[in-house]
Structures are given as structure tokens and as C-alpha cells.
Amino acid sequence: MENNIIAKLIAKALNLQEQAVQNTLALLDEGCNIPFISRYRKERTGGLNEVQIAAISEQSERLREIQKRKETVTKTIQEQGKMTPELQKRIDECWDANLLEDIYMPYKPRRRTRAQIAREQGLEPLAQILLLQREQHPDDVARRFVKGDVNDADAAIKGAQDIIAETISEDESSRQLIRGAYRRTATVTSKVVKSKADTETGQKFRDYFDWKEPLKRCSSHRLLAMLRGASEGVLRLSIDPISDDECVERLQRQWVRSANASGRLVSEAAEDAYKRLLKPSIETEFTNLSREQAEDDAIHVFADNLRQLLLSAPLGQKRVMGIDPGFRTGCKVVCLDEQGNLLHHEAIFPHPPINRVMQARVHVQQMVKQYHIEAIAIGNGTASRETKAFVEDILHTQEYQGVRLFVVSEDGASVYSASKTAREEFPDEDVTVRGAVSIGRRLMDPLAELVKIDPKSIGVGQYQHDVDQTKLKRQLDMTVESCVNQVGVNLNTASSHLLQYVSGLGPTLAKNIVDYRSEHGAFTSRTQLKKVPRLGPSAFQQCAGFLRIQGGKNPLDNSAVHPESYPIVEQMAKDQGCSVADLINNKDVRAKIDIRRYVTAEVGIPTLTDIINELEKPGRDPREQLEEFEFDSHVQTVDDLVEGMVLPGIVTNVTNFGAFVDIGVHQDGLVHISQMANRRINHPSEVVKLHQHVEVKVIEIDRQRNRISLSIKQV
């Protein structure tokens, strides 16, 4: 019953078919992974994509958490003997976390508040009398409660008002009233802490020293910036309704029913309830809610950037030279074979202060010849442009015309080089060699190399250290898993770090696959996976379709056709009087197939369409082709920039407020969202994507703060 209610709620919230949601929840409960469900269970889900399935999973977890909380609330109220059928019905029908807490608030085990102390002094009956607002002379009534710690009538009335204030603050309709005011009119205000204004840390938040705007218009990046400023002690942040007096008046209209003396006391209690109890509570609630929404935005931006980075165009299996450039310490050079194995490494010193240019030139030429280098990858850090110019000069000669040259992002390479993974791969090499290897491998296959690095270290996030780290890790892991399974993985060359993201595997099974491969040699068929220790039928079903075997016994093993569908393809081939290989290689034969003939109770048109599409391009990499790029040779540093220049650049990061672009001066410039296009856009990703080659105009240079402002729309 609970699952049916949850499915109904999710279907309504996400505007999806209830049956599709029910089936998806059932598949998730069976332990199926999102990529597997999206790719191989389209009949059951109605063709839902990964984003929709992930949203169903997230909503389901949230609603099940609320269900657990409801059970706790119900149990606590029942133990107090205060449960009624009406109250139980309200709890059962409530699926809003805030509303549930409002319902529960009067029954929560209490700490020793002022109201609780007044109750212990026997003042609750007086509070009830005052709330009726019939007494013209409440002092006379109050004297009846003077005893023990209650010294006089004034003390009794004060205690009763504390009880009334707490009653008002815990009342569900009162909380909704103040919530509504915040929802409509709340403003976020940021003020500088004067003692921090002129500090180096303080200057980072200069834009928010005196800032005020409606909360509903405050963008996620501005709110996160202000929250960070507040956490670092530079800013004071508050979220308030547009008028406290109006909120007090609304509460008084709700609770005060008489103009007599009792009514005036209730009116005072209502004001106290707002200022002392309700306002701080609702402000905290809205701050937390706004923070959560801003964090979700930031996580979404990070995940979107990470997806684009992981799906960057690969060079493929080529012999690559990787160069980690540097001045004083030299350039670390590595030579890799087609599989990314390290063949040779050394350091060269073509730049100041050592300037062994001719020696470095000879060594690079020798390495290119000896190791049959087909492409060179240079890291984009310090001395990158100088190293690129040095290598270009070598490649200009006729002898090296076929060698391609690329500049590669080295974000996170130093993190990888010092990691446990890198130490296991290269126990006898130092961090500089490992870093250069990472740069070379990133050119060959960005996805296979970047999965070894904590996504937070790759440099494509926005406030990633300020957001909920558990939620961030989960979203980024899902993104990596989605990308790995979208591309597919070569079963015979993939590292355990890449294999662990394949649907249904994980670190243990990934290691077992690599160990089995080391002991028994390359896999020749997907069915061999069943011999891997601890890889049972369920894991095989989840992972098999995403693993590729090139040159195996069955040509379908190098495709996204799932082994459970092999009999269908074999029947298609048989019906056409040919082999499966002929079916793959012959377009005319495939064109004769009527897929409707192969529909069964389990297999429908969506799966059959996917099979035909896959037979047309088995094993094809869905990523784009790699493009070469050149910075403007006349611009080397920020000092070379002049406002009005139009320059080529590469997008290095996309945020909610704009995109950062590398124009080759060792300091990325910002294209603000307002400078993206000559039309209104909601997000920079509508115009640019990570690693896109763009032309930008320099519109402002702030050398004091080391900021470069750029424009795309003015080009």
C-alpha cells in the first residue's frame, strides 16, 4: 500500500505515468542500477531516461524518510495517550516534512523553556483563561495563582503569557501564516563586519559589503557566496520579511478577539511569540531551505560540467608523449604505448633559468623517433605556452609533420600523482612522472583517466566545498557511472578504477575481473564473466551489456546488445539466411528486417529498435572527435591584454553566473551570463559547454583583483 501511495505522489510531482513509476520503483528495489534500467528495461518504464529514473529514486528516498519520521511521530504521540483518529488521519495523509513537524510540535518532548517552567508552576489554567479573553480584570484572576515561585500577580501573568506565546508559535496555522509572509516578501541582507572589511579575506566578498535583494530573486551563486562570507566571519547575513510589524499584526488578528485587558495581554504574547520564537525559527527554516536549493543548483552545475569533461573527445589508442611543463624544475616527459603503458621518461630543460634548448630539442626528436610517437600532450599549467612553442618549432620540420600537438587540462593531475592509485600503478616512479603520465593518458581517453581522480579536484565545480558533501559525492558518482556506461568499457584493457563504475560491479568485482584477466588472459566472450569469483547472475545481468570485447568469438560482444537479446538477433540472422556477422556488416540485409515479427510479452518495439540501431554501429564511441586549438601568439600575459581585443579561448568552467575562458595568459577570464548572447538566457550552458572553443572580446581588465571580463555577444 505504501509503495502505491509513493508511486502516485512521485508520478504527480514529476508528471509521469503512475504505472511507469511503480515499475521503476520495483526495478530499483530489485537492485537494478539506473543505467541498466534506462538502457535495457524500456518496456517496463515506458522509455524513461536516466534523469527521470534518478529523480524517481531521489523522490522515493525522500518520501520513505518522511514515512519513517511519521512512524516516530505516531509512536511518540501514542505513548503520550494523545492520539485521536483525526490526528492519525492528518499524519497519515501528510507528505510535507515541514507540515509534519508543525503537526508534531505541540507533542514534542519539551526542553525547559520559559513556558515549560510556567507550566511546572501551575500557570497553564491561567493561560487558558486569558486566551478566552473574557476577563475584564485579569489581575484579580492571577492572584489566585500566586504560590511557590510565583511571587505576585504580575509574575503569574508573565508566566501565562510565556505559555500563550509558545502555544501561538507552535500553532500550525500561525507558522503557515508567517511562512507565507516569508515566501512572498523575504529579503536577504548582507552587511560587512567592519573589522574584516580591509583584510585580504574580506576583499573577496567586497561585492556583498552592503547588499539587499528579495530572497526569491537571489541566485544560488550569490547566496552561497554570502553564506561563505558569513561562515568566514566577514559578513552578517539575515533573511527577514519585508515588515515585522505586518507579521505581528497578522498574528494578533488571528489570536486577539477582544479589546479588553485580557485581549491586550494576548496581543503582547502574540508579539513576543513572533519576535522571540516564530521569527528565528522560520528564518532558520528559510535559510536552510534556500541553502539547500542553492547547493542543489551548484551540485547540478558541477555534475553537468563533470559529464561534459568525462565525455570529452578522446584521441584513441595512439602512441603519446606527455609533457608536464615547468621552468626551473624542467619539463617532465613520458612516452606511452597505445594502451597507456609507460615506456620511457626523462626531464628536459628548454626554458630559463637553465636554457638547455638544443639538448632538449635533440632529446625530444630522439624520443619521437624511438617510440614512434603519434601525438604530444602538454599540460596547461606553468610554462605551457612556452613549451608548446618549443615543441611546435620541432614539429614544423617535414620529418615530424604527422605528429599532432594538443594542450591538455592538468587539473587534478597532482592529486592523482600523489594518490594511492598512482602509487599502485607506478610504485617505482616519483610524483612528477606520474603527473606527466596522467596528462598523456587524458589525451588518449579522458574518461578512463579522470575516473581515478576525486571529481572535486578536477576544477569544474562551483562552491563544491561549501555544499552537502554526501549529496555531492552521490551526484558525482552517479554522473561518473552514467558516463562510463554510456560510452561502454573495453573488458580487456579497462583498469579496475574504470570497471568499478560499470553497472552492477563496484570495487570488489572490478578487482576480481582484473585479477581473473591477469591469471587467465584476455576475455574472449562475455559469458566468461560468469567464471569471475563472486560475479553472480544478477551482477552479470547488470554489467554485461556495458562491457565490450573487441575481436571476440561473438561479434555481438563488441556491441551494446545485451546477452539476453542474443537469441533475438540470432533468429533475425537465421530468418535472413545469414550469420550474425553478415547482419552487422550488410546494411541491405538489415533493411529487410521487420522488427514487429520479433515482439514478445517481454521484448517490445523500444528494445528491438535499440538492437537494430546498435547493429548499425557496434562498438562505436559516442564521443565527439578531438579538435586542435591555437591561442593568439601575440598575447602571452595579462600585461599584453588591451580592452577591445578579440581572442580565441577555451571554456574551462561553466557556472550559474557565467563561464570561465582560458585565453592563454595564465589567468582565466569571465564571460558573465549578461555577456553570453543578445537574447535572454536562463543558464550559460544554453550557449557554451566545457572545453568548447570560443572567440571572446576583452571588455575590462581589473589588475588589482586579477580579474579579466570577457564577452561573447560582442564578438
Side-chain angles (χ1 to χ4, degrees):
M1 184 63 182
E2 180 193 315
N3 275 348
N4 290 343
I5 295 170
I6 286 175
K8 193 183 291 288
L9 290 166
I10 293 172
K12 186 177 180 182
L14 301 179
N15 196 24
L16 298 172
Q17 291 290 327
E18 188 180 329
Q19 189 60 52
V21 173
Q22 270 189 351
N23 290 346
T24 302
L25 289 173
L27 287 164
L28 289 166
D29 289 342
E30 289 166 19
C32 294
N33 290 59
I34 291 173
F36 174 79
I37 297 170
S38 171
R39 183 71 177 79
Y40 296 112
R41 291 296 179 264
K42 289 180 178 176
E43 282 78 5
R44 288 186 65 181
T45 68
L48 297 180
N49 61 35
E50 283 191 21
V51 175
Q52 291 169 315
I53 296 167
I56 290 170
S57 176
E58 192 176 313
Q59 290 268 7
S60 168
E61 286 183 24
R62 184 181 66 80
L63 292 171
R64 283 170 180 169
E65 282 298 315
I66 292 175
Q67 180 59 36
K68 284 183 190 173
R69 181 64 176 155
K70 284 161 71 169
E71 290 166 8
T72 302
V73 167
T74 299
K75 184 181 176 186
T76 305
I77 298 174
Q78 285 174 342
E79 287 172 351
Q80 294 173 13
K82 296 179 180 177
M83 183 61 77
T84 64
E86 294 79 12
L87 182 57
Q88 184 67 67
K89 185 171 185 287
R90 292 206 64 209
I91 293 169
D92 290 342
E93 292 176 354
C94 178
W95 292 96
D96 180 291
N98 284 331
L99 182 56
L100 179 62
E101 294 306 318
D102 286 353
I103 295 169
Y104 180 43
M105 190 169 279
Y107 307 96
K108 255 185 182 174
R110 300 182 185 279
R111 52 192 175 83
R112 276 179 62 77
T113 60
R114 280 162 46 175
Q116 184 61 19
I117 292 168
R119 287 188 185 93
E120 291 168 4
Q121 292 171 340
L123 296 174
E124 183 129 34
L126 176 59
Q128 295 300 324
I129 291 168
L130 293 179
L131 272 172
L132 292 172
Q133 300 170 50
R134 294 172 185 161
E135 298 295 333
Q136 298 286 347
H137 304 287
D139 285 358
D140 295 341
V141 180
R143 288 189 189 95
R144 300 205 302 263
F145 293 88
V146 176
K147 58 183 176 181
D149 293 333
V150 183
N151 298 322
D152 52 32
D154 285 346
I157 287 174
K158 187 73 186 79
Q161 283 183 304
D162 286 340
I163 293 171
I164 293 169
E166 188 170 274
T167 301
I168 292 172
S169 76
E170 292 181 347
D171 177 72
E172 188 184 323
S173 60
S174 297
R175 296 183 71 79
Q176 291 289 31
L177 186 150
I178 303 305
R179 257 191 214 113
Y182 266 80
R183 203 173 287 119
R184 289 190 309 276
T185 70
T187 58
V188 56
T189 304
S190 169
K191 299 282 185 185
V192 67
V193 176
K194 286 190 168 55
S195 61
K196 299 289 184 74
D198 295 324
T199 64
E200 186 180 340
T201 303
Q203 284 300 301
K204 294 177 186 175
F205 302 98
R206 195 169 74 187
D207 294 342
Y208 303 104
F209 280 5
D210 187 14
W211 184 271
K212 186 173 184 177
E213 70 175 314
L215 180 62
K216 57 187 174 187
R217 287 193 203 156
C218 183
S219 64
S220 62
H221 66 270
R222 286 201 298 275
L223 183 62
L224 287 173
M226 287 185 270
L227 287 166
R228 181 188 285 180
S231 71
E232 294 189 17
V234 175
L235 304 175
R236 286 196 187 93
L237 196 65
S238 62
I239 295 176
D240 306 288
I242 203 162
S243 169
D244 286 332
D245 290 342
E246 186 181 326
C247 289
V248 171
E249 286 170 14
R250 283 171 177 252
L251 270 183
Q252 289 169 336
R253 283 202 298 271
Q254 185 174 328
W255 287 88
V256 180
R257 294 184 296 277
S258 171
N260 63 19
S262 295
R264 288 193 294 275
L265 292 175
V266 173
S267 179
E268 289 171 9
E271 184 174 359
D272 178 47
Y274 173 73
K275 290 180 178 177
R276 182 169 58 87
L277 301 170
L278 267 172
K279 183 181 178 183
S281 172
I282 301 299
E283 180 179 358
T284 299
E285 185 181 300
F286 268 74
T287 301
N288 291 339
L289 180 64
S290 302
R291 180 199 293 273
E292 188 177 333
Q293 289 172 343
E295 288 184 357
D296 287 347
D297 269 0
I299 290 170
H300 175 76
V301 168
F302 196 159
D304 199 37
N305 285 348
L306 179 63
R307 175 179 296 278
Q308 291 176 37
L309 187 65
L310 293 174
L311 295 178
S312 297
L315 179 67
Q317 294 188 325
K318 307 284 185 185
R319 289 188 159 240
V320 168
M321 175 184 289
I323 304 178
D324 186 358
F327 289 115
R328 184 179 54 81
T329 56
C331 301
K332 311 305 179 295
V333 184
V334 297
C335 298
L336 310 174
D337 69 12
E338 294 89 342
Q339 278 73 46
N341 298 311
L342 179 62
L343 302 173
H344 172 78
H345 68 83
E346 64 178 84
I348 58 173
F349 299 87
H351 309 309
I354 298 177
N355 282 322
R356 294 181 191 155
V357 183
M358 287 310 298
Q359 183 190 70
R361 185 184 182 92
V362 169
H363 280 226
V364 169
Q365 290 171 331
Q366 287 175 343
M367 285 185 277
V368 169
K369 288 178 184 175
Q370 184 176 349
Y371 298 103
H372 309 291
I373 297 300
E374 298 170 87
I376 298 175
I378 298 172
N380 67 344
T382 305
S384 174
R385 292 198 67 176
E386 293 79 1
T387 304
K388 183 170 183 281
F390 161 73
V391 174
E392 276 178 333
D393 190 50
I394 297 172
L395 300 184
H396 276 151
T397 59
Q398 188 66 35
E399 195 175 357
Y400 304 104
Q401 286 291 301
V403 181
R404 300 172 71 189
L405 180 61
F406 300 90
V407 175
V408 177
S409 168
E410 58 181 52
D411 283 332
S414 58
V415 174
Y416 161 77
S417 62
S419 69
K420 181 172 179 277
T421 302
R423 291 196 300 274
E424 287 172 354
E425 283 194 277
F426 303 105
D428 301 323
E429 309 298 348
D430 66 17
V431 291
T432 60
V433 173
R434 297 172 192 156
V437 169
S438 181
I439 288 168
R441 286 177 172 176
R442 286 184 193 199
L443 177 62
M444 299 166 73
D445 190 342
L447 179 60
E449 193 60 23
L450 290 171
V451 294
K452 301 173 186 175
I453 303 169
D454 180 351
K456 285 188 294 182
S457 303
I458 297 177
V460 292
Q462 173 191 356
Y463 297 104
Q464 61 261 39
H465 300 292
D466 297 335
V467 304
D468 183 317
Q469 295 300 296
T470 303
K471 195 183 284 187
L472 175 65
K473 184 178 187 309
R474 180 187 173 195
Q475 185 63 54
L476 297 184
D477 283 347
M478 280 175 58
T479 302
V480 175
E481 182 181 38
S482 169
C483 292
V484 169
N485 290 289
Q486 182 181 335
V487 172
V489 172
N490 187 321
L491 183 55
N492 286 320
T493 60
S495 67
S496 62
H497 305 92
L498 186 58
L499 285 166
Q500 73 182 27
Y501 287 104
V502 172
S503 172
L505 296 182
T508 302
L509 287 178
K511 184 178 182 302
N512 290 354
I513 287 172
V514 172
D515 290 345
Y516 183 91
R517 194 173 68 199
S518 300
E519 185 179 345
H520 298 92
F523 287 88
T524 56
S525 74
R526 281 171 168 167
T527 54
Q528 275 183 276
L529 282 164
K530 296 177 180 179
K531 297 178 181 178
V532 172
R534 300 179 67 182
L535 202 156
S538 177
F540 177 80
Q541 181 192 53
Q542 294 287 307
C543 75
F546 302 104
L547 296 168
R548 309 279 184 268
I549 299 173
Q550 295 176 2
K553 296 174 183 175
N554 189 332
L556 294 176
D557 283 350
N558 192 35
S559 74
V561 177
H562 197 282
E564 65 191 12
S565 296
Y566 285 7
I568 297 170
V569 181
E570 287 159 3
Q571 186 61 50
M572 288 176 176
K574 184 179 178 183
D575 291 346
Q576 297 301 321
C578 66
S579 67
V580 170
D582 293 334
L583 206 60
I584 291 171
N585 296 325
N586 195 321
K587 181 181 178 181
D588 294 334
V589 174
R590 289 196 305 275
K592 296 176 185 175
I593 297 172
D594 180 2
I595 59 174
R596 290 172 297 181
R597 290 180 54 196
Y598 304 95
V599 172
T600 66
E602 292 79 29
V603 180
I605 295 296
T607 294
L608 293 166
T609 302
D610 282 348
I611 289 171
I612 292 297
N613 290 339
E614 191 59 30
L615 293 177
E616 292 175 5
K617 51 173 182 59
R620 185 191 296 174
D621 195 316
R623 294 172 287 185
E624 294 177 355
Q625 293 295 306
L626 194 61
E627 295 178 3
E628 296 176 43
F629 176 83
E630 290 284 341
F631 287 118
D632 189 313
S633 59
H634 300 100
V635 176
Q636 302 286 332
T637 69
V638 175
D639 293 332
D640 297 328
L641 294 178
V642 177
E643 288 181 13
M645 276 183 167
V646 175
L647 301 168
I650 299 176
V651 177
T652 58
N653 199 357
V654 181
T655 70
N656 280 338
F657 55 85
F660 289 94
V661 177
D662 182 0
I663 53 175
V665 295
H666 307 296
Q667 172 64 44
D668 288 356
L670 173 66
V671 182
H672 189 266
I673 189 169
S674 62
Q675 291 295 324
M676 286 272 172
N678 290 308
R679 59 185 170 85
R680 177 176 170 74
I681 60 170
N682 295 314
H683 196 274
S685 59
E686 295 174 33
V687 178
V688 296
K689 62 181 181 178
L690 210 63
H691 288 181
Q692 183 177 333
H693 299 170
V694 293
E695 278 203 331
V696 292
K697 183 177 182 179
V698 180
I699 56 174
E700 187 182 348
I701 307 157
D702 183 344
R703 289 184 167 83
Q704 184 183 349
R705 291 201 284 178
N706 208 24
R707 292 182 178 179
I708 305 164
S709 297
L710 306 170
S711 174
I712 289 175
K713 75 178 186 181
Q714 292 186 34
V715 176

